[in-house]
Amino acid sequence: WLREAENRDGLAPRPEDAEPGTVQLLTIHGSKGLEWDLVAVPRFTEGELPGTPNEGYTGWLSFGSLPYEFRGDKAELPVLEWRSATTRKELLDARDAFKLQVQQRYEAEERRLAYVAVTRARHSLLLSSSFWATQSKPRRPSPFLRSLADDGVLPPLPVASEFEENPLDPETNEIVWPLDPLGGRRAAVTWAAEQVRSATPDSAGAWDRDLDLLLEERRRRLAASELVGVPTRVPASRFKDFVTDPASVAASLRRPMPQRPYRATRLGTLFHSWVEERFGLSGATEVIDALSIEIDEDAETAELEQLATLQATFAASPWAARRPVEVEREIHLPFDGRIVICKIDAVYAYSDADSEERFEVVDWKTGKAPRDAADLEQKQLQLALYRLAYARWAGIDPSLIDAVFYYVADDTVIRPERLYDERELVDLWRAAVGHES
């Protein structure tokens, strides 16, 4: 079955919507980003959801496990403070604290998994749990299920099973293995296979056209890019993804995945808010709230230190002493039948050598500068859109507007040698996503 599944679809979850009237069986991980009219989540029971960790709560201290410090995701994992321990007691205390952090992280991940499960339903959600399955002792309902009952979302749950021993007949779970993959259809399938083997190749039959139509329908289902429409509103920050990697954008549109608020994103949001306040302009930038389980006190301290460094760098930059004419200006740019959302960080006015008034669009960046010329070529598309949007909004000739990146962490100003004009941007867009007349 695995070999057949791999040949057919690469074991990937199907991206297209389910056909009406069908029932789909998926793991919770495989259901991320999808939605159904009715979703049933069975076995909402302790030991199932949340499950029992394979390595317990000892983390990398269990035999044969790779120490967390050697893993690529070490920044997200608990840290065993063994280096600072000078006595056996301090080492044991550090171990206990580490095990508690591992347990809390595992429980948080299981809670996220349960959140994914219960938010897949468009209209109706069925959650079920049972005291008995195949074990010899009854189990309790999941703490997630109990919390829903405690909050009044669900009716009160039974306190205990009415049976002292497992009431299920043990023979009801007996199966013959391996199962016949064809089951009761074996005779019919065997007969059909013989008919195919004995048929004359390339002979057209009564069902020839129907088969062609079915194969074409299958081809179109597998051509996922044909099933995704380009949204009406496109953020300028994603424009480069549409024109450089449309397949990945199509995949994300077909199967949108929830994202946790990353620390770098939060840091950038805090910095932008600080710039707004510095210039005395109230903007609409929202500070992304992080869950307490995701950003602890140490992380917040490090974050504030990074923010202070960015603030000091900006305060010493050429932009600090200049008064912008616009800060955090959001402009909706009509663009080839779409609307491009441009959130411009700042616009400055100045006079050139001929005393002609000019404008400069500045995009603050708290991340890393472009790796190479090709990376800059893609990133400058955002600046080109900002220039076009501000020119349209303010009624200014685009040739009088410059646009630059300021990478605050590196204290680096990057001025593209040239910016695409409107015709070039439209040509890029149409080449990538097509043109709808």
Side-chain angles (χ1 to χ4, degrees), residues 130-146:
S130 63
F131 290 108
W132 299 99
T134 59
Q135 74 284 353
S136 59
K137 294 182 179 180
R139 298 180 298 181
R140 301 181 65 200
S142 166
F144 306 139
L145 200 62
R146 296 201 301 270

Side-chain angles (χ1 to χ4, degrees), residues 45-46 129-132 135 137-142 146 156-167:
T45 310
E46 283 188 354
S129 179
S130 63
F131 290 108
W132 299 99
Q135 74 284 353
K137 294 182 179 180
R139 298 180 298 181
R140 301 181 65 200
S142 166
R146 296 201 301 270
L157 301 177
V159 177
S161 171
E162 59 182 302
F163 301 98
E164 294 183 0
E165 296 182 355
N166 195 333

Side-chain angles (χ1 to χ4, degrees), residues 43-76:
R43 305 172 79 166
F44 237 93
T45 310
E46 283 188 354
E48 297 278 353
L49 189 64
T52 303
N54 294 331
E55 61 180 11
Y57 297 121
T58 57
W60 64 267
L61 300 181
S62 57
F63 181 75
S65 296
L66 182 69
Y68 285 174
E69 293 187 15
F70 297 151
R71 287 175 44 170
D73 58 345
K74 64 180 181 180
E76 303 293 331

